[in-house]
Amino acid sequence: MISCYLVVGIVMLAFKCFCHCFTYSGIELFVNRLDSVESVLPYEYTAFDFCQAEGKKRPSENLGQVLFGERIEPSPYRFTFNKKEICKSVCTKTYDTTKPEDKQKLDFLKKSMLLNYQHHWIVDNMPVTWCYDVEDGQRFCNPGFPIGCYITEDGRPKDACVINSEFHEKDTFYIFNHVDIKIYYHVVENEALGARLVAAKLEPKSYKHTHADNPDCSGVPMDISNKASGEVKIAYTYSVTFHEEKTIRWASRWDYILESMPHTHIQWFSIMNSLVIVLFLSGMVAMIMLRTLHKDIARYNQMDSTEDAQEEFGWKLVHGDIFRPPRKGMLLSVFLGSGTQILIMTFVTLFFACLGFLSPANRGALMTCAVVLWVLLGTPAGYVAARFYKSFGGEKWKTNVLLTSFLCPGIVFADFFIMNLILWGEGSSAAIPFGTLVAILALWFCISVPLTFIGAYFGFKKNAIEHPVRTNQIPRQIPEQSFYTKPLPGIIMGGILPFGCIFIQLFFILNSIWSHQMYYMFGFLFLVFIILVITCSEATILLCYFHLCAEDYHWQWRSFLTSGFTAVYFLIYAIHYFFSKLQITGTASTILYFGYTMIMVLIFFLFTGTIGFFACFWFVTKIYSVVKVD
């Protein structure tokens, strides 16, 4: 299983999906999990009492799809290419509310309509979309459609009930038991009798079929009173039509979905806003480096007498303490190793996504790529952790490499496992199967850990990092600090600017995760990633310089925490997003939201903190390497 996941991950990076050409063969429709913006708990199609496909084999899923909770199943909906079907019966479900089993199934269906659970159907790897008009005459295409909707006791229509004025009975559910499917294709040039599907759209409708065996798809909607008793019959039907579309090419067949997704102009505004911050910080850093530091170093190197040197003040006076090992050097080196692993993984994943390998068409590819890369990047994690731990004067190399291998991944896995137990208890499709959990543990223990040990071996084997100045035996006393140069205010201020660069992009990422919107703007995301790296580096360097001028030489942890504090703002924004944008209800869903958010916050903390430390380490090494010290 492990080798399969690795092969799948590499193959999905190397190749894009090939198209399917249809002649007069059958077209199969697949169904995915059902989810809701009001609940974090997705459910498999088979968890609901819908029409089932008998005897059909379930398609295999890659690691990313399993981790994201995708559960693709065959469906009873099957079409013949270019054959029109009108009001074709699929199946009829009968519920006797006097029987506990039937009542439980019907109540689960009602609850899912109340929480606005959405179907997700797939034809030829394309999401079957429901397109409808929104404000300002725009048309929005949603890659899903609701099971049904609810009219409240005071007669107010909820969610999709607003689309039909016939949905008006109070305290009543209306189920969408019929779909009108339109499949668009274009004929393949220079190929005999072949065609490619370029779009699949549907419109959900509700009909109370008077004759379930011979439906005519007309009449009043299929209503289910909340207080209904006795027998309830729901007949499921569909119609399908085929339309030739010559203007859409197969390569651009996702465009009609993506064009209705939000807000390229907001993205450009975000990028311009971030670039202004970067230019401001770059100007400040350049001014320090070129003017202040250049003059300071020149004046310092021209001094002849020690009396003149003693009259100096600021960053030059702490040259004998600047590379003094920090407290908790073991923990800092472990964080740096894990942060390096995450940093390289993020860069490579976004780079492949920009090239188009990890587009939404390659389902699960993004997560598969990230996991495989994380596993394979154990070597640089072990190397960086060992190298810095040795330079901090540490000698417990076994403890260091074990903590690098298990501390941060262990916290993430423990959180993930607790969330998985909740999903198991709720019967959600997002619960990771036991076999997959074993496979993830095997990837971690059998590949990542040995690679970390190899990296640590080479890190400890090399000589410790040579610093440009010697460290004094007796630590220098740090003078009384002003409010702005004390550790906590500086750390809090340091995370504001990096967060300001990413918060708009963060909104779209949280939307894609929790509001089930498709994320495809990887070019913008890669650009924001580069801007974030630059902003974290420059903000940390700037604050580091001010602290050194105040003769405070404890820069190692401070540089890590200054840019790492961006993760705290991320957490505050996630809490704000939960209360202001989401309609999530239920204790389990709330725990899951904050459980998964804490994983993201920890990863982001290690990622940004590592950037800040490396930037500050480069800055400190650079400025003290040009100072002449007797």
Side-chain angles (χ1 to χ4, degrees):
M1 183 179 284
I2 302 165
S3 59
C4 282
Y5 282 145
L6 283 170
V7 169
V8 166
I10 293 164
V11 168
M12 293 189 80
L13 292 177
F15 300 104
K16 299 179 85 170
C17 292
F18 291 104
C19 68
H20 295 106
C21 292
F22 296 92
T23 53
Y24 289 95
S25 59
I27 299 171
E28 193 164 358
L29 186 146
F30 290 92
V31 291
N32 205 341
R33 65 176 186 178
L34 287 85
D35 54 34
S36 167
V37 294
E38 297 182 34
S39 173
V40 179
L41 301 165
Y43 290 99
E44 292 187 43
Y45 182 84
T46 51
F48 299 84
D49 193 35
F50 297 132
C51 302
Q52 305 291 332
E54 299 296 334
K56 290 184 180 179
K57 190 178 179 182
R58 182 175 178 167
S60 59
E61 294 161 337
N62 60 48
L63 179 60
Q65 287 175 290
V66 175
L67 291 177
F68 268 133
E70 289 196 16
R71 301 291 183 268
I72 298 174
E73 305 265 359
S75 81
Y77 299 86
R78 190 172 176 85
F79 326 119
T80 301
F81 178 67
N82 240 349
K83 182 182 177 183
K84 186 177 181 181
E85 299 280 4
I86 300 296
C87 203
K88 186 171 181 179
S89 176
V90 184
C91 73
T92 301
K93 295 290 182 179
T94 305
Y95 304 95
D96 186 350
T97 55
T98 59
K99 295 179 180 177
E101 186 181 350
D102 283 4
K103 189 176 186 306
Q104 186 180 5
K105 289 179 181 177
L106 191 61
D107 286 345
F108 186 62
L109 204 58
K110 287 178 183 177
K111 183 183 176 183
S112 62
M113 286 189 276
L114 190 65
L115 292 173
N116 195 27
Y117 270 82
Q118 306 263 323
H119 285 280
H120 295 281
W121 290 3
I122 302 164
V123 171
D124 190 32
N125 201 38
M126 285 280 294
V128 182
T129 55
W130 175 34
C131 296
Y132 51 90
D133 294 323
V134 291
E135 296 174 357
D136 302 327
Q138 293 183 339
R139 196 160 178 79
F140 182 79
C141 290
N142 183 30
F145 67 96
I147 296 173
C149 60
Y150 176 62
I151 303 291
T152 61
E153 292 180 359
D154 57 359
R156 183 173 56 85
K158 273 196 72 184
D159 303 316
C161 276
V162 298
I163 67 173
N164 193 337
S165 59
E166 293 185 44
F167 299 163
H168 55 73
E169 293 291 332
K170 295 180 180 178
D171 196 21
T172 300
F173 294 93
Y174 290 90
I175 188 166
F176 293 119
N177 59 334
H178 175 84
V179 286
D180 285 334
I181 302 171
K182 293 181 180 179
I183 296 179
Y184 298 84
Y185 68 93
H186 75 244
V187 177
V188 180
E189 298 173 5
N190 302 322
E191 290 187 28
L193 298 175
R196 290 172 178 167
L197 305 189
V198 292
K201 300 179 182 179
L202 64 71
E203 188 177 349
K205 292 182 179 178
S206 180
Y207 295 116
K208 183 178 281 187
H209 300 292
T210 50
H211 303 287
D213 297 330
N214 187 24
D216 58 357
C217 294
S218 62
V220 296
M222 180 66 215
D223 60 329
I224 306 170
S225 173
N226 201 20
K227 299 179 179 67
S229 59
E231 190 176 77
V232 176
K233 275 191 175 183
I234 303 174
Y236 292 92
T237 57
Y238 73 92
S239 300
V240 61
T241 56
F242 290 83
H243 306 269
E244 185 174 0
E245 178 60 73
K246 296 181 180 179
T247 58
I248 302 175
R249 299 287 93 188
W250 189 86
S252 57
R253 64 182 188 157
W254 284 71
D255 288 0
Y256 79 99
I257 304 168
L258 304 182
E259 282 169 5
S260 65
M261 306 299 271
H263 321 314
T264 305
H265 63 283
I266 295 177
Q267 295 280 0
W268 280 117
F269 171 77
S270 165
I271 298 293
M272 294 306 296
N273 173 55
S274 303
L275 285 174
V276 168
I277 294 173
V278 167
L279 288 172
F280 167 74
L281 285 172
S282 299
M284 292 287 287
V285 171
M287 185 174 70
I288 288 170
M289 296 290 284
L290 296 176
R291 292 190 60 190
T292 312
L293 278 175
H294 182 72
K295 287 181 180 178
D296 285 353
I297 291 166
R299 191 166 67 245
Y300 189 75
N301 288 340
Q302 289 170 2
M303 289 178 189
D304 295 325
S305 65
T306 56
E307 290 80 4
D308 291 337
Q310 287 172 0
E311 292 174 6
E312 283 299 313
F313 61 92
W315 63 272
K316 299 170 290 298
L317 285 180
V318 295
H319 65 77
D321 299 274
I322 193 66
F323 292 108
R324 190 174 298 283
R327 298 189 188 96
K328 309 287 184 186
M330 171 80 81
L331 185 61
L332 180 58
S333 65
V334 169
F335 281 177
L336 290 172
S338 297
T340 304
Q341 194 174 10
I342 294 164
L343 180 62
I344 301 171
M345 178 197 77
T346 308
F347 175 81
V348 177
T349 303
L350 289 179
F351 181 73
F352 277 122
C354 285
L355 295 179
F357 291 128
L358 310 180
S359 71
N362 294 338
R363 299 177 186 279
L366 190 72
M367 180 61 83
T368 304
C369 174
V371 171
V372 170
L373 281 171
W374 179 83
V375 167
L376 297 177
L377 287 168
T379 304
Y383 180 83
V384 168
R387 197 95 167 83
F388 277 99
Y389 180 62
K390 190 173 183 180
S391 74
F392 294 156
E395 295 177 354
K396 298 178 181 177
W397 66 271
K398 292 178 183 177
T399 308
N400 179 261
V401 70
L402 285 171
L403 284 174
T404 306
S405 301
F406 295 109
L407 179 62
C408 297
I411 293 170
V412 171
F413 185 82
D415 189 328
F416 185 74
F417 185 72
I418 292 167
M419 298 302 105
N420 209 48
L421 288 177
I422 295 171
L423 291 167
W424 270 337
E426 296 288 334
S428 171
S429 71
I432 308 301
F434 180 74
T436 306
L437 278 177
V438 171
I440 292 169
L441 283 172
L443 287 170
W444 178 15
F445 283 94
C446 300
I447 299 176
S448 180
V449 172
L451 288 174
T452 307
F453 271 80
I454 292 169
Y457 170 77
F458 287 108
F460 278 111
K461 195 175 180 182
K462 290 198 74 172
N463 295 328
I465 299 170
E466 291 187 10
H467 300 307
V469 289
R470 289 194 302 272
T471 302
N472 296 336
Q473 290 185 350
I474 302 172
R476 181 185 179 85
Q477 187 174 355
I478 298 171
E480 183 69 26
Q481 299 291 301
S482 66
F483 174 77
Y484 298 104
T485 56
K486 285 180 179 177
L488 192 59
I491 289 168
I492 292 171
M493 286 189 294
I496 294 174
L497 289 175
F499 179 76
C501 293
I502 64 163
F503 81 95
I504 294 177
Q505 194 67 228
L506 200 58
F507 171 77
F508 291 110
I509 293 171
L510 291 177
N511 265 356
S512 71
I513 296 170
W514 303 115
S515 298
H516 312 295
Q517 294 184 8
M518 207 171 292
Y519 191 89
Y520 64 96
M521 295 174 284
F522 294 109
F524 283 116
L525 188 59
F526 187 70
L527 196 56
V528 169
F529 168 79
I530 299 298
I531 289 171
L532 176 65
V533 170
I534 296 169
T535 311
C536 282
S537 303
E538 292 181 342
T540 310
I541 288 172
L542 207 58
L543 288 167
C544 180
Y545 174 73
F546 293 147
H547 292 134
L548 293 179
C549 286
E551 300 178 32
D552 186 349
Y553 50 83
H554 295 306
W555 62 271
Q556 290 98 332
W557 268 112
R558 187 174 293 178
S559 63
F560 190 93
L561 295 174
T562 297
S563 54
F565 203 80
T566 311
V568 177
Y569 292 108
F570 176 10
L571 176 61
I572 294 167
Y573 183 79
I575 295 169
H576 164 74
Y577 181 85
F578 177 82
F579 288 107
S580 64
K581 302 293 182 185
L582 298 179
Q583 299 111 27
I584 288 176
T585 55
T587 307
S589 291
T590 304
I591 294 170
L592 286 166
Y593 176 86
F594 286 104
Y596 287 128
T597 297
M598 292 311 296
I599 293 175
M600 291 189 284
V601 167
L602 174 62
I603 291 170
F604 197 69
F605 169 72
L606 295 171
F607 163 69
T608 50
T610 302
I611 294 168
F613 178 88
F614 282 139
C616 216
F617 180 76
W618 171 83
F619 172 73
V620 169
T621 305
K622 192 76 174 172
I623 63 172
Y624 284 98
S625 64
V626 293
V627 171
K628 292 178 183 176
V629 180
D630 293 332

